[in-house]
Amino acid sequence: MTSAHLLDLFGVFTPLSFLTVGGGQSVVADIHRQAVNVYGWMNDTQFLDLFALSRVTPGPGSILVTLVGWQVAGVLGALVASFAIFVPSSLLVYALARVWARYKHMLWTQAIERGLAPVAAAMILAASCTILRAAEGGPWAWGVATVATLMLIYTRVSPFLLMGAGALVFCVVLR
């Protein structure tokens, strides 16, 4: 571990902190790009392992950042990465919340809120596509993801049922 690694972690995650519109899931695509393609801190398999671990642990989805920091520079890397992803955006949100409360009935605040919703949705979609591509599940993975998405949008089926069905599909296909 070097101080250069710590500076790199801070430099990667501080700007991403301001892009977590819609939650930490919205920046997964760029976390992958930075960690795997730009800095080479890990390969696709290692990233997917950390992503999966971040999903089964309690807490925010942004815990992925802490795990990447840990992978790169141990405990200090985890602390730096966590600070960089949580603190800058928290300070910004605190300041904006005060302004927002004052001007919440203004047309421009309503326009910003309506405009950010599709941006957040697109960023989350990009994250999903990044994970599907990195997992190399091929057409089956894309098909299962598409069917599950459509089922969630147009029916009231339980996500747990869809996860079980998806697992069953891959048990049959990979057999």
Side-chain angles (χ1 to χ4, degrees):
M1 169 186 65
T2 66
S3 59
H5 284 109
L6 297 175
L7 286 173
D8 288 341
L9 285 167
F10 189 79
V12 165
F13 293 120
T14 298
L16 289 179
S17 172
F18 298 113
L19 297 176
T20 56
V21 177
Q25 182 73 13
S26 62
V27 293
V28 169
D30 204 55
I31 294 171
H32 174 271
R33 186 180 70 79
Q34 297 284 346
V36 175
N37 302 332
V38 175
Y39 288 94
W41 292 327
M42 61 195 68
N43 60 35
D44 278 335
T45 303
Q46 292 169 312
F47 182 83
L48 288 172
D49 288 345
L50 294 180
F51 178 79
L53 185 58
S54 74
R55 293 301 165 252
V56 298
T57 56
S62 299
I63 197 75
L64 172 63
V65 171
T66 305
L67 295 171
V68 169
W70 179 279
Q71 177 81 17
V72 173
V75 174
L76 201 50
L79 291 171
V80 167
S82 297
F83 179 90
I85 200 71
F86 290 116
V87 173
S89 61
S90 296
L91 294 173
L92 179 65
V93 166
Y94 176 76
L96 286 176
R98 297 178 59 88
V99 172
W100 219 254
R102 179 182 289 165
Y103 298 106
K104 67 182 173 185
H105 298 295
M106 301 294 288
L107 187 59
W108 64 270
T109 58
Q110 295 168 9
I112 290 172
E113 288 176 5
R114 283 193 302 271
L116 285 177
V119 170
M123 291 173 75
I124 292 169
L125 179 61
S128 301
C129 291
T130 298
I131 295 300
L132 279 170
R133 210 175 317 117
E136 299 178 359
W140 282 101
W142 287 91
V144 167
T146 301
V147 169
T149 300
L150 293 172
M151 294 287 291
L152 287 169
I153 290 171
Y154 295 111
T155 71
R156 292 181 159 237
V157 67
S158 167
F160 295 110
L161 190 63
L162 291 175
M163 288 179 4
L168 184 62
V169 165
F170 279 93
C171 285
V172 171
V173 168
L174 297 177
R175 190 166 37 131

